Amino acid sequence: MKKVTSILLICFLLLMGCTSKQEEIVESKGVRQVYTKTISASGYANKLTLSGNIVPTEVVRPSFKISGVVSHVLVNEGDFVKKGQAIAQMDQSDYAIKVRAAEAELNAARLQIETEIPAKINQAKTQYELTKLTYDRVQTLYEEGAAPRSQLDEISAKLVLDESTYNQAMDAKIIAETKLQMAEAALDLANANISDTTIYSPIDGVILQKVMTSGETTSAGYPVVVIGQINKVWAEIGVPDEYINTLKAGQKANVYVYGIDQSIQGTIDEIAFLADTKTRTFPVKILINNSDKALKPGMITKVDIQLSNGEKTLIPLSSVMHLSAGSSVYVYSDETGTVSLRIIETGEIIKDKIEVLEGLAADEKIVVEGQFLLREGEQVMAEEMVE
């Protein structure tokens, strides 16, 4: 063991000695050490990677239309429910009393319009017709001089009174009919309230949250449970404004879900037109099939969206110097062992690289490390950098 250690120590000292000698040679010649890279067109893939989370494609919050005491919540969090399934019930006692009261009022209104009103109308009509006959006879006698004026005036007054009584009886019928309609409406409302003491699920989904429990008093419109539709889910991400206009509905996206350690293909379904006021990003929803219910709301995701791909001349972003004359790089010549400053035109930045539009040719070598201390025409010791 000691022999092996000694050999390793000797090798290390020899290596250090060689390195020191090489550095001494470079320093004695006054030549700088630089690293270069050969220019070539290469394929690239520009993609957007963002974190997000799984959300249901539809969320509903069923509530009672009336106030009262919750008697039973028939589901628990995590339960799957079908559309039309009963999920909660309210105590019906008070509303059952109102139904009985409405039924009694309706029966009274019907009885009045079927018996009392017709009797009064018939009585008033008969009396009016009788008085009208008497009035006609007295008027004839008066015109013949056989009856005094006072008798005609008396029967005339009675005719007006009986006619008014008859008209009032007819008006009472209209009022009674209106009361009957009101009683029918009141009964319909009371029965509707009884129906509203049970809540039914409006969708197929899963109970995400149980807001109310048995025995609690609730107001009309206050949610009892929260139901989510998860046969299909969204991976929701926030996209910065510089990328939002590059995305389109229907575009494919790769969604990695950490919770199930699996990548799933999705499609951009919704792109918000308004940025979130807190994050200043635009919400984008990627639709994912979830027929096996493996994806749960709240799971964290990593979303990759391909923005563009193709072939371009790309160089390391760190190799570019920004001078007053423009973007520049040092080009190394194998023939002379020197470097020369070259003004270039740059394009799109892709991660740690930048596109070169003009100024460089294929197979030329540029200095990618050590360029900031160089001078035009300086001789250097170059070493090709291997990625």
Side-chain angles (χ1 to χ4, degrees):
M1 184 66 179
K2 291 182 179 180
K3 184 176 181 180
V4 174
T5 305
S6 300
I7 293 172
L8 291 175
L9 180 59
I10 292 169
C11 292
F12 177 74
L13 293 174
L14 288 173
L15 180 61
M16 292 296 293
C18 292
T19 304
S20 300
K21 288 179 180 179
Q22 186 177 7
E23 291 177 353
E24 288 174 3
I25 293 172
V26 172
E27 290 177 1
S28 64
K29 291 182 178 180
V31 179
R32 297 184 189 278
Q33 171 77 55
V34 297
Y35 292 90
T36 62
K37 181 174 177 58
T38 302
I39 301 300
S40 64
S42 58
Y44 76 98
N46 185 21
K47 66 180 180 180
L48 179 64
T49 301
L50 296 167
S51 62
N53 61 289
I54 299 296
V55 296
T57 52
E58 184 179 3
V59 175
V60 294
R61 296 170 174 81
S63 61
F64 290 105
K65 296 180 181 180
I66 52 179
S67 301
V69 178
V70 179
S71 59
H72 299 92
V73 179
L74 306 174
V75 292
N76 293 309
E77 292 182 359
D79 288 351
F80 289 94
V81 294
K82 293 289 186 181
K83 182 177 180 179
Q85 178 179 336
I87 55 178
Q89 294 175 336
M90 179 181 286
D91 185 0
Q92 295 183 350
S93 302
D94 292 342
Y95 294 101
I97 293 173
K98 292 180 180 180
V99 169
R100 291 197 295 272
E103 287 175 342
E105 288 184 8
L106 178 61
N107 291 333
R110 283 177 178 168
L111 183 63
Q112 183 183 26
I113 204 168
E114 289 174 359
T115 58
E116 180 181 345
I117 296 299
K120 288 183 177 181
I121 290 175
N122 289 335
Q123 182 180 357
K125 182 180 179 181
T126 301
Q127 183 61 49
Y128 170 70
E129 290 175 346
L130 179 61
T131 302
K132 183 69 170 59
L133 290 174
T134 304
Y135 171 81
D136 291 340
R137 287 196 300 270
V138 171
Q139 186 179 28
T140 300
L141 292 174
Y142 172 76
E143 291 174 352
E144 293 175 351
R149 177 70 186 182
S150 60
Q151 187 177 359
L152 178 61
D153 291 342
E154 182 180 351
I155 197 63
S156 295
K158 189 173 187 319
L159 178 64
V160 171
L161 179 61
D162 290 347
E163 183 180 13
S164 176
T165 303
Y166 175 63
N167 289 334
Q168 288 177 0
M170 295 300 295
D171 291 341
K173 178 183 179 182
I174 296 174
I175 294 172
E177 288 175 344
T178 301
K179 288 182 178 180
L180 177 62
Q181 292 174 355
M182 292 175 62
E184 289 174 343
L187 180 58
D188 290 341
L189 178 60
N191 285 324
N193 287 340
I194 284 288
S195 298
D196 291 338
T197 57
T198 301
I199 299 178
Y200 301 91
S201 176
I203 62 171
D204 292 343
V206 63
I207 304 299
L208 301 178
Q209 185 181 4
K210 187 175 176 180
V211 182
M212 303 289 294
T213 58
S214 301
E216 289 188 273
T217 300
T218 182
S219 299
Y222 191 82
V224 176
V225 296
V226 179
I227 305 175
Q229 210 285 70
I230 61 168
N231 289 331
K232 290 184 178 180
V233 294
W234 282 318
E236 187 173 35
I237 56 176
V239 178
D241 51 9
E242 63 263 32
Y243 295 108
I244 192 65
N245 288 330
T246 65
L247 303 182
K248 295 181 180 179
Q251 190 173 346
K252 299 297 181 183
N254 185 67
V255 182
Y256 175 75
V257 184
Y258 291 94
I260 61 173
D261 191 22
Q262 185 178 344
S263 292
I264 304 171
Q265 189 78 3
T267 304
I268 294 179
D269 189 40
E270 292 186 7
I271 302 174
F273 202 79
L274 179 66
D276 186 280
T277 55
K278 294 181 180 178
T279 64
R280 304 311 306 169
T281 59
F282 291 83
V284 172
K285 296 175 181 177
I286 293 117
L287 186 64
I288 307 171
N289 183 44
N290 189 35
S291 55
D292 59 357
K293 310 296 190 298
L295 303 179
K296 305 294 191 294
M299 283 185 170
I300 305 301
T301 65
K302 181 182 73 172
V303 178
D304 292 325
I305 303 173
Q306 199 72 35
L307 299 180
S308 58
N309 54 51
E311 191 173 83
K312 293 183 179 181
T313 299
L314 302 175
I315 63 174
L317 186 60
S318 60
S319 67
V320 179
M321 300 176 295
H322 300 284
L323 307 179
S324 58
S327 298
S328 310
V329 295
Y330 273 107
V331 179
Y332 174 73
S333 172
D334 283 323
E335 295 180 0
T336 63
T338 60
V339 293
S340 59
L341 190 65
R342 184 82 58 81
I343 303 298
I344 62 172
E345 183 180 348
T346 58
E348 184 181 3
I349 295 176
I350 302 174
K351 295 186 177 179
D352 60 344
K353 299 184 185 299
I354 189 169
E355 178 187 10
V356 178
L357 301 176
E358 291 184 10
L360 291 176
D363 296 330
E364 285 190 302
K365 292 184 178 181
I366 63 168
V367 179
V368 296
E369 190 173 317
Q371 71 273 28
F372 292 100
L373 298 176
L374 297 178
R375 298 186 304 275
E376 175 68 23
E378 184 177 352
Q379 190 169 11
V380 296
M381 178 178 290
E383 181 179 339
E384 184 77 9
M385 180 174 282
V386 179
E387 292 185 352

